[in-house]
Amino acid sequence: MYIKRIVLGIVLIGLVVGGFFAYTIYNAIFSPNTNFDTAEEYVFIPSEANFDVVKQLVAPLLKDTRSFEILAKRKGYTANIKGGRYRITQGMNTNEIIGTLRSNNIPVKVSFNNQETLADLAGRIATQLEADSLGLLQAFLSEDFLKKNKFTKASALSMYIPNSYEFFWNTSATQFRDRMLKEYNVFWNAERLEKAKKQHLTPLEVSSLAAIVHKESAKIDERPKVAGLYLNRLRKKMRLQADPTVIYALKLNDGDFTKVYKRVLYKDLEINSPYNTYKYGGLPPGPIAMPDISAIEAVLNPEKHDYLYFVANVENFGYHMFAKSLTQHNRNKVQYIRWINKKKINR
């Protein structure tokens, strides 16, 4: 009888200890294990991260890092880490957190526009994805890639259609570039290709002209008129004489695209550059900036008119005065010259 009591006592103690242990394990796995006040937080795990890096990134968000480490090892996560962007919501337990880090890589919205060079674009993308700007620029300028897809270093910026796109944060530089090529081919559908053909332009030429239109007018509603004017000049074999191309040539010559030019001087028109449309006929060898979609559409759907000249309208800033003859243009130009001299804009 005494032995039975001892055995029963041992069993009861075992049950209590086992129950406590089971409760502790259950609590560690399934109780909330977040330590932040916001509704959600994001963890960005680098592609080459090991578990020590993950622990360092996740620790500020957890109440109990020890249970996280133990369960991660038991579930094999420590040997199967994947880079990406992961959302941790308030109240998640350790099991849910590890499950999220294993399989719920969330895309990010990547947007870009108005970049003047591929280097600018690389810098912009590097702020939104894991890939660094140098790696991106190298991917953009890959000679094999450009040759295979019929781009040049001068025309390559045309391939990047400004918009917002979804990417995984850990997208590599070449993956980003290749996706942009697919988006470019989708953008240039049969309808747009036909419209470009009607203007006697290739898609690359459309982008080059659209970049000029984009720089000449910030007013979207005016861009079809500006596009129509330049198309008129091209048809008549006139030089485009676009000030933004001269500014680009100056920046390219100086190697400084941060410099701001508020006025183009007569001496600037002599710069010997294929981008100087005062000196050379036709379109420049590539876009002088990244044209937005409204500028591209303006070239594809230009306003029909007989204008050949235009100058900034100082009475309606942002817009321009258009002229069909040089005589009328010179009269319009007097007003503009008087205004910039009054403002003492010398450069």
Side-chain angles (χ1 to χ4, degrees), residues 131-274:
D132 63 71
S133 58
L134 180 59
L136 285 160
L137 186 58
Q138 289 173 340
F140 297 167
L141 293 174
S142 166
E143 291 185 5
D144 290 342
F145 175 84
L146 295 177
K147 184 177 180 180
K148 178 181 177 181
N149 295 289
K150 299 180 180 179
F151 290 99
T152 65
K153 290 182 179 180
S155 67
L157 190 62
S158 304
M159 195 187 87
Y160 301 89
I161 306 297
N163 212 328
S164 292
Y165 304 90
E166 277 198 350
F167 283 92
F168 288 115
W169 175 76
N170 55 318
T171 296
S172 71
T174 54
Q175 287 172 333
F176 173 81
R177 178 202 64 195
D178 294 347
R179 163 77 181 281
M180 286 295 95
L181 175 62
K182 291 180 181 179
E183 295 291 346
Y184 173 83
N185 290 328
V186 168
F187 180 83
W188 283 105
N189 55 27
E191 181 182 1
R192 288 195 176 101
L193 289 173
E194 182 61 28
K195 287 182 177 181
K197 187 177 179 181
K198 286 183 179 179
Q199 303 305 330
H200 305 288
L201 299 173
T202 66
L204 292 180
E205 290 171 332
V206 169
S207 293
S208 291
L209 182 53
I212 296 173
V213 172
H214 180 109
K215 283 291 188 179
E216 288 282 21
S217 181
K219 302 295 185 181
I220 293 176
D221 60 328
E222 189 187 56
R223 285 176 175 171
K225 182 179 285 188
V226 175
L229 183 149
Y230 280 125
L231 287 166
N232 288 344
R233 294 183 75 92
L234 285 173
R235 280 191 285 268
K236 290 179 176 291
K237 307 297 182 183
M238 297 173 67
R239 292 177 186 174
L240 295 183
Q241 296 184 328
D243 286 0
T245 66
V246 177
I247 292 172
Y248 183 87
L250 292 170
K251 291 180 176 182
L252 187 64
N253 185 64
D254 294 339
D256 183 4
F257 281 88
T258 64
K259 193 171 182 179
V260 176
Y261 291 86
K262 295 183 178 180
R263 182 176 185 177
V264 173
L265 306 178
Y266 285 113
K267 67 177 183 178
D268 298 331
L269 306 183
E270 298 303 317
I271 186 170
N272 188 19
S273 168

Side-chain angles (χ1 to χ4, degrees), residues 8-25:
L8 181 60
I10 292 172
V11 169
L12 289 174
I13 292 171
L15 289 173
V16 170
V17 171
F20 178 77
F21 180 75
Y23 172 79
T24 301
I25 296 297

Side-chain angles (χ1 to χ4, degrees), residues 311-321 335-337 339-340:
V311 68
N313 187 343
V314 297
E315 295 181 352
N316 190 10
F317 287 103
Y319 288 94
H320 296 79
M321 294 185 290
Q335 184 180 355
Y336 173 69
I337 296 296
W339 181 82
I340 59 174

Side-chain angles (χ1 to χ4, degrees), residues 16-65:
V16 170
V17 171
F20 178 77
F21 180 75
Y23 172 79
T24 301
I25 296 297
Y26 179 90
N27 196 52
I29 296 175
F30 296 108
S31 293
N33 190 22
T34 54
N35 188 35
F36 50 86
D37 297 326
T38 55
E40 58 189 24
E41 292 289 339
Y42 289 88
V43 177
F44 293 83
I45 299 178
S47 297
E48 304 302 322
N50 57 29
F51 187 64
D52 286 337
V53 172
V54 174
K55 280 196 301 180
Q56 188 176 19
L57 292 171
V58 175
L61 306 179
L62 304 179
K63 289 180 180 178
D64 180 7
T65 55

Side-chain angles (χ1 to χ4, degrees), residues 27-36 38-41 43 58 61-64 67-68 86-101 104 106:
N27 196 52
I29 296 175
F30 296 108
S31 293
N33 190 22
T34 54
N35 188 35
F36 50 86
T38 55
E40 58 189 24
E41 292 289 339
V43 177
V58 175
L61 306 179
L62 304 179
K63 289 180 180 178
D64 180 7
S67 64
F68 171 78
Y86 300 92
R87 180 173 56 220
I88 309 298
T89 58
Q90 190 181 94
M92 270 188 170
N93 60 47
T94 304
N95 189 57
E96 290 169 332
I97 292 169
I98 292 172
T100 292
L101 297 179
N104 290 339
I106 299 174

